Amino acid sequence: MTSRSGDEEVAQRGRPTGNHEAKRAELLKAATSVIAQEGYANASLRKVAKRAGYTTGAVTYYFANKEEMVIALAESRFDNYDAMLEAIQGEGDIKTLVNSWLKTTVGDPEFWPVMSELLAHGRHDPALARVIAERYARYRDIYASILAAAQAQGTIRDDIPADLLADQLSAMGDGWTMMSPIEPERFTPQRVRELVDAVIALIAPVSGGRREAGS
């Protein structure tokens, strides 16, 4: 019988059984909890493994190191954004889009604690910063295309270019997301509905239509 090398035996022991994507998602969920509760600096692979109920070797089967795991976590967050936009893209319903954004961000108590840690670390990690910048740019581009379609349908104002509206609305949502864990009383279900209605009023069609060139 052919014997396996020591490295092969370690790799075999470290490899988790079951659905690959499901296990990877479990580890990213565990990483989210650890970072949200203990911060980026304290989020070791060992702690993530313990939170998920795996060995550290199982974690390194999916992620070679902490940096790779954190980039995967950032990518997964933006994957959720993209899925949210794609669900709306064909309809052009901006109110539903804003509601979905708030449900995804303000409605998740771990969302901003994790994103704030990733953004702060991205200042010193060019690879992570590049992923965040590229994915956020893609998000705004899709958002702008949805807004442009709504402008063509006459359901939102067209005197401001769609890309600027996308940037403004994204910044507004980011601000709410940042403050929601600190001021939860500002984001009761009733007030969130009022905030959404206010956004829709701000981008409602204006009399006079598209602004004149040079205005």
Side-chain angles (χ1 to χ4, degrees):
M1 181 175 65
T2 303
S3 63
R4 294 179 300 189
S5 69
D7 288 345
E8 289 174 332
E9 289 176 357
V10 171
Q12 187 66 26
R13 287 199 302 269
R15 178 172 181 169
T17 59
N19 183 279
H20 181 280
E21 290 303 318
K23 299 293 185 184
R24 189 174 185 274
E26 286 178 15
L27 291 172
L28 292 178
K29 183 177 180 180
T32 296
S33 294
V34 173
I35 293 173
Q37 295 172 18
E38 302 188 39
Y40 177 89
N42 296 316
S44 65
L45 293 181
R46 180 182 59 80
K47 287 183 179 180
V48 171
K50 183 177 180 180
R51 184 69 57 93
Y54 292 144
T55 65
T56 304
V59 179
T60 57
Y61 171 74
Y62 290 98
F63 310 108
N65 49 46
K66 178 178 174 178
E67 289 71 24
E68 185 176 301
M69 180 184 69
V70 169
I71 286 177
L73 176 58
E75 293 272 18
S76 72
R77 288 287 170 124
F78 282 101
D79 287 344
N80 291 338
Y81 297 164
D82 291 349
M84 177 186 69
L85 291 178
E86 288 171 6
I88 293 298
Q89 202 162 12
E91 303 173 9
D93 185 341
I94 306 305
K95 186 171 184 176
T96 298
L97 176 55
V98 176
N99 271 317
S100 296
W101 165 263
L102 289 170
K103 183 178 180 180
T104 302
T105 56
V106 173
D108 179 357
E110 292 183 333
F111 183 89
W112 183 249
V114 171
M115 286 304 295
S116 63
E117 291 284 333
L118 296 183
L119 290 171
H121 183 69
R123 292 179 56 200
H124 311 288
D125 184 338
L128 178 59
R130 183 170 57 254
V131 167
I132 293 174
E134 289 176 353
R135 293 300 301 266
Y136 206 166
R138 185 194 309 177
Y139 169 83
R140 290 194 306 272
D141 285 345
I142 301 173
Y143 202 161
S145 71
I146 294 172
L147 292 168
Q151 287 177 329
Q153 296 167 5
T155 56
I156 67 170
R157 63 189 304 164
D158 62 0
D159 59 325
I160 300 174
D163 64 311
L164 293 183
L165 278 180
D167 218 336
Q168 290 172 333
L169 293 176
S170 296
M172 187 183 299
D174 290 342
W176 289 343
T177 303
M178 178 180 68
M179 296 307 298
S180 61
I182 299 172
E183 299 179 287
E185 68 280 1
R186 283 180 60 194
F187 300 97
T188 62
Q190 173 62 32
R191 198 159 192 279
V192 165
R193 287 192 292 271
E194 292 171 354
L195 288 170
V196 172
D197 289 341
V199 169
I200 299 307
L202 288 172
I203 63 174
V206 294
S207 59
R210 192 174 299 278
R211 59 182 179 177
E212 297 179 2
S215 64

